[in-house]
């Protein structure tokens, strides 16, 4: 059916398309269709009758009964039959005229041919996607090989320097010993006390094995086709040590943000409370519904209250003001401030609940003046990236990591977005943006349990710490989306239901917890080595 006009006047018999006059003219000009038979739609009935009249079945012998010709069509069996076939085997079937059966079979063949064409197109698209992804993986392998070769060359240069220094030292020692000069012998001994201490870092001669390919899911996206992951069997070792704990009067520490002055901001949306605390007492309290919060330069607190504009609480006062950071007509969800003072906000349509989805779900980057610089909305296939962008963090390279909640049971995933820069911010505004990778939980943990991430934070060494309170698990990811370590906080640290998380400039980790409906949610101060 023509999509440009309702004035249908023609039909292409080969394509089985209805055409307007404009499309009919174009159809005749295209090389692949210029020989097709096109008739006026008013002649369709007479044309079909003409075909029926032209059909001659008098010379088509029955394959079963000698001396009989096909004269009928069995719609039940989808085959032509003679009169004896009908009497013996098809008398209770749905029988029609030979000509009508012919038309039915022609239509069926056209449908099958069209479906095969669509399948071939789909196969070609899939083949192209796989070839492009293969090239990408091979390029990634080449890049990793270059890194390893550079490391080998650097190690070889260091080794040569050490050997050269040792040879010179050996020669000098030999000369001093042969001189029998007491002053030089004692002098060289004093020097040796210093030289015994390694002045050059030891050479690391152990390299990780080449990454293996992990098969992806069926959908054709880079992060679904599969990826290269390290196959080092020695898991990174992180040591968690509790320093202190603090008991609140809340049943949930939903948000926890470390302030530059050493205090902590904590909140819980459903209890309508915001507190500034030291781990000994409450400093300030406010009654406000906070969905997410982040620290601005100079210590001001930026807050998402599920309205169109973010709010701000100045460290110099106790007054809460509305900011210029707006996502109107949407409402704000997650909020994060990057190292270079960009404001990143999760947003959704203005409705009471997050589900069902009835509008756009976005991650929006603004500059410090509130101007939108980029909107992450759809992937490079035109599909929405996010369901509920619940929490956001960035690493030292300003790569964005988002907790995306997928359903009402809080099942979720971590979505990493490709790094962008100032030149691309303008070009990419409101266009499709590429997903770097997606983490849906560690298979060792999620075989029987689902992944329900609640908060995340990046460390100084660009590890991503993710809390999963239902499973009492903390996941540590690298920038490639691999889970390089995880810990059961309940079994190993006695920390139940870890929910919110943040770290300070000293590397101290703060974990805010959920409770089983009791008003004694705890905050733990943790020292972690290995970050």
């Amino acid at each position: 059916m023509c999509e440009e006009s309702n004035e249908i006047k023609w039909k292409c018999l080969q394509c089985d398309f209805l055409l307007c006059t404009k499309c009919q003219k174009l159809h005749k000009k295209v090389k692949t269709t210029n020989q097709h038979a096109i008739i006026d739609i008013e002649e369709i009935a007479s044309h079909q009758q003409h075909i029926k009249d032209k059909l001659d079945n008098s010379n088509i012998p029955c394959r079963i009964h000698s001396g009989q010709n096909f004269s009928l069509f069995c719609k039940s069996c989808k085959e032509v039959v003679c009169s004896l076939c009908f009497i013996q085997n098809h008398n209770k079937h749905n029988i029609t005229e030979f000509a009508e059966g012919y038309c039915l079979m022609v239509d069926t063949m056209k449908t099958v041919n069209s479906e095969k064409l669509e399948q071939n197109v789909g196969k070609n698209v899939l083949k192209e996607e796989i070839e492009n992804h293969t090239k990408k993986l091979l390029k990634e392998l080449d890049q990793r090989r270059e890194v390893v070769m550079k490391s080998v060359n650097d190690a070889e240069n260091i080794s040569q320097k050490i050997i050269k220094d040792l040879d010179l030292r050996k020669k000098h020692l030999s000369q001093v010993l042969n001189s029998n000069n007491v002053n030089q012998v004692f002098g060289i001994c004093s020097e040796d006390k210093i030289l015994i201490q390694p002045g050059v870092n030891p050479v690391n001669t152990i390299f990780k094995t080449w990454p293996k390919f992990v098969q992806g899911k069926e959908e054709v996206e880079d992060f679904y086709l599969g990826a290269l992951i390290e196959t080092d069997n020695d898991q990174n070792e992180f040591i968690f040590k509790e320093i202190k704990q603090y008991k609140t009067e809340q049943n949930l520490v939903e948000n926890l943000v470390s302030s530059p002055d050493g205090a902590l901001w904590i909140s819980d949306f459903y209890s309508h409370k915001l507190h500034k605390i030291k781990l000994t007492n409450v400093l300030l309290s406010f009654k406000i519904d906070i969905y997410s919060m982040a620290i601005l330069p100079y210590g001001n607190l930026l807050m998402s209250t599920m309205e169109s504009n973010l709010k701000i609480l100045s460290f110099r006062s106790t007054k809460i003001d509305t900011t210029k950071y707006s996502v109107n007509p949407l409402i704000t969800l997650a909020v994060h401030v990057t190292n270079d003072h960009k404001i990143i906000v999760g947003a959704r349509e203005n409705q009471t609940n997050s589900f069902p989805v009835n509008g756009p779900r976005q991650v929006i980057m603004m500059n410090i003046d509130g101007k939108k610089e980029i909107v992450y909305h759809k992937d490079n296939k035109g599909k929405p990236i996010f369901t509920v962008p619940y929490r956001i963090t960035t690493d030292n390279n300003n790569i964005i990591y988002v907790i995306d909640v997928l359903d009402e049971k809080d099942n979720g995933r971590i979505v990493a977005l490709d790094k962008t820069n100032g030149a691309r911010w303008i070009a990419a505004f409101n266009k499709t943006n590429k997903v770097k990778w997606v983490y849906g939980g560690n298979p060792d943990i999620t075989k029987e349990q689902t992944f329900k991430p609640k908060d995340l934070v990046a460390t100084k060494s660009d590890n991503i710490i993710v809390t999963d309170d239902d499973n009492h698990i903390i996941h540590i990811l690298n920038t490639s989306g691999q889970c390089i370590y995880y810990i059961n906080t309940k079994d190993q640290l006695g920390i139940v239901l870890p929910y919110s998380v943040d770290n300070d400039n000293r590397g101290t980790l703060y974990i805010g917890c959920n409770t089983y409906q009791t008003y004694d949610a705890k905050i733990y101060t943790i020292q972690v080595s290995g970050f």
Side-chain angles (χ1 to χ4, degrees):
M1 178 70 76
C2 176
E3 297 180 357
E4 294 188 3
S5 173
N6 292 324
E7 298 180 9
I8 304 302
K9 294 184 65 65
W10 308 93
K11 180 178 181 179
C12 175
L13 299 179
Q14 280 79 4
C15 299
D16 197 26
F17 285 168
L18 296 177
L19 309 169
C20 66
T21 300
K22 180 180 178 181
C23 291
Q24 180 251 2
K25 292 179 180 178
L26 290 173
H27 213 64
K28 288 185 175 182
K29 291 181 179 180
V30 177
K31 186 176 182 180
T32 56
T33 60
N34 60 6
Q35 300 299 318
H36 286 189
I38 300 176
I39 62 172
D40 192 298
I41 57 172
E42 295 179 358
E43 300 174 2
I44 292 176
S46 59
H47 176 76
Q48 291 174 340
Q49 185 61 46
H50 177 66
I51 289 179
K52 289 182 180 180
D53 294 341
K54 283 179 63 178
L55 289 175
D56 181 11
N57 60 314
S58 60
N59 296 320
I60 307 177
C62 178
R63 300 185 186 92
I64 300 174
H65 301 103
S66 178
Q68 296 290 323
N69 290 331
F70 289 134
S71 57
L72 300 168
F73 182 80
C74 178
K75 295 172 74 173
S76 301
C77 301
K78 292 183 173 56
E79 62 182 15
V80 287
V81 296
C82 70
S83 55
L84 290 179
C85 290
F86 168 70
I87 295 170
Q88 293 175 2
N89 300 312
H90 301 269
N91 57 342
K92 293 183 179 180
H93 292 183
N94 188 0
I95 301 296
T96 188
E97 294 179 359
F98 184 89
E100 185 180 346
Y102 172 81
C103 292
L104 287 173
M105 294 305 294
V106 168
D107 289 341
T108 301
M109 291 172 66
K110 286 182 178 179
T111 302
V112 171
N113 188 53
S114 176
E115 289 176 351
K116 286 184 176 180
L117 180 62
E118 290 179 1
Q119 289 176 358
N120 288 333
V121 171
K123 287 178 181 178
N124 290 335
V125 171
L126 179 61
K127 181 181 177 183
E128 184 179 349
E129 291 284 352
I130 291 173
E131 288 176 349
N132 290 338
H133 190 66
T134 301
K135 291 177 182 177
K136 178 184 175 183
L137 294 179
L138 289 173
K139 183 179 179 181
E140 186 177 339
L141 273 176
D142 288 339
Q143 291 172 343
R144 294 190 183 202
R145 178 181 177 277
E146 290 176 5
V147 171
V148 172
M149 291 306 299
K150 185 178 183 302
S151 299
V152 171
N153 292 334
D154 290 345
E156 186 176 351
N157 291 336
I158 293 172
S159 298
Q160 291 296 329
K161 184 179 185 304
I162 292 173
I163 292 171
K164 184 177 180 180
D165 289 344
L166 287 173
D167 286 341
L168 290 173
R169 187 63 185 162
K170 182 180 177 181
K171 183 178 179 180
H172 184 50
L173 284 171
S174 179
Q175 290 175 348
V176 170
L177 289 173
N178 292 331
S179 70
N180 293 321
N181 188 312
V182 175
N183 187 37
Q184 288 185 7
V185 169
F186 280 110
I188 202 70
C189 287
S190 298
E191 291 175 14
D192 277 345
K193 288 181 181 179
I194 299 172
L195 293 172
I196 287 171
Q197 302 173 9
V200 182
N201 291 330
V203 179
N204 179 16
T205 58
I206 301 175
F207 297 97
K208 291 185 176 181
T209 58
W210 285 109
K212 68 178 181 179
F213 180 77
V214 176
Q215 185 174 350
K217 301 179 182 178
E218 293 180 358
E219 298 173 64
V220 184
E221 286 285 353
D222 287 354
F223 52 88
Y224 287 142
L225 284 170
L228 297 168
I229 68 168
E230 303 292 348
T231 57
D232 188 3
N233 293 323
D234 296 327
Q235 188 185 35
N236 296 54
E237 188 64 31
F238 299 93
I239 300 174
F240 288 70
K241 181 181 179 182
E242 179 189 331
I243 300 175
K244 65 174 70 173
Q245 58 178 272
Y246 173 78
K247 185 184 293 186
T248 71
E249 295 181 355
Q250 300 177 191
N251 69 341
L252 169 63
V253 182
E254 186 178 17
N255 287 286
L256 183 153
V257 176
S258 172
S259 178
D261 61 4
L264 295 177
W265 287 100
I266 63 172
S267 71
D268 174 24
F269 185 86
Y270 291 104
S271 67
H272 321 291
K273 292 179 180 177
L274 168 66
H275 299 299
K276 185 177 184 181
I277 67 169
K278 292 282 188 180
L279 291 183
T280 52
N281 62 299
V282 176
L283 303 177
L284 295 170
S285 293
F286 301 87
K287 187 174 182 180
I288 183 172
D289 299 336
I290 293 180
Y291 190 93
S292 179
M293 56 188 180
I295 295 291
L296 280 165
Y298 312 114
N300 296 330
L301 186 67
L302 194 61
M303 299 169 287
S304 164
T305 56
M306 295 185 71
E307 299 171 271
S308 291
N309 289 65
L310 296 173
K311 288 187 164 51
I312 190 169
L313 174 61
S314 171
F315 76 96
R316 294 191 183 92
S317 70
T318 58
K319 184 182 178 183
I320 297 175
D321 295 312
T322 300
T323 71
K324 56 193 170 185
Y325 305 117
S326 173
V327 297
N328 190 55
L330 307 179
I331 60 173
T332 61
L333 299 177
V335 60
H336 175 74
V337 180
T338 69
N339 294 330
D340 57 350
H341 305 160
K342 303 293 181 183
I343 314 299
I344 306 178
V345 184
R348 67 165 171 84
E349 73 279 20
N350 190 352
Q351 63 180 21
T352 303
N353 298 314
S354 294
F355 297 96
V357 177
N358 292 310
R361 306 295 173 95
Q362 302 176 348
V363 168
I364 301 168
M365 180 181 289
M366 310 178 197
N367 62 21
I368 200 69
D369 296 320
K371 181 181 179 181
K372 291 181 182 178
E373 295 186 335
I374 184 168
V375 176
Y376 290 93
H377 181 203
K378 294 183 179 181
D379 61 20
N380 55 6
K381 300 298 179 185
K383 296 179 181 178
I385 299 175
F386 306 106
T387 306
V388 180
Y390 180 69
R391 291 288 184 268
I392 299 172
T393 194
T394 53
D395 61 17
N396 291 318
N397 294 314
N398 292 320
I399 293 176
I400 303 171
Y401 305 94
V402 183
I403 290 182
D404 184 30
V405 177
L406 301 174
D407 55 38
E408 292 176 291
K409 294 183 179 180
D410 291 338
N411 293 310
R413 59 184 187 162
I414 311 300
V415 179
L417 302 174
D418 257 356
K419 180 183 176 182
T420 56
N421 54 44
R424 288 179 57 198
W425 282 339
I426 304 303
F429 182 80
N430 246 346
K431 295 186 179 180
T432 57
N433 307 104
K434 193 174 180 184
V435 174
K436 186 178 177 67
W437 49 256
V438 171
Y439 175 75
N442 189 306
D444 294 337
I445 305 169
T446 55
K447 288 177 182 176
E448 298 179 358
Q449 300 166 316
T450 54
F451 181 49
K452 298 183 178 181
K454 292 299 188 294
D455 202 0
L456 76 174
V457 66
T459 68
K460 289 183 177 179
S461 56
D462 287 341
N463 292 310
I464 314 302
I465 302 174
V466 183
T467 58
D468 179 356
D469 75 326
D470 274 16
N471 300 316
H472 315 286
I473 298 288
I474 285 179
H475 305 244
I476 300 179
L477 314 182
N478 63 15
T479 53
S480 298
Q482 301 166 237
C483 181
I484 56 177
Y485 190 80
Y486 64 86
I487 181 173
N488 187 308
T489 59
K490 181 179 179 181
D491 294 343
Q492 296 176 252
L493 298 173
I495 298 177
V496 178
L497 303 172
Y499 198 102
S500 53
V501 64
D502 198 14
N503 54 9
D504 60 21
N505 52 18
R506 299 183 301 275
T508 302
L509 190 69
Y510 299 97
I511 300 174
C513 296
N514 200 349
T515 65
Y516 296 106
Q517 296 303 313
T518 58
Y519 287 84
D520 58 354
K522 294 180 179 178
I523 298 171
Y524 292 87
T525 305
I526 305 294
Q527 195 68 48
V528 185
S529 62
F531 279 170

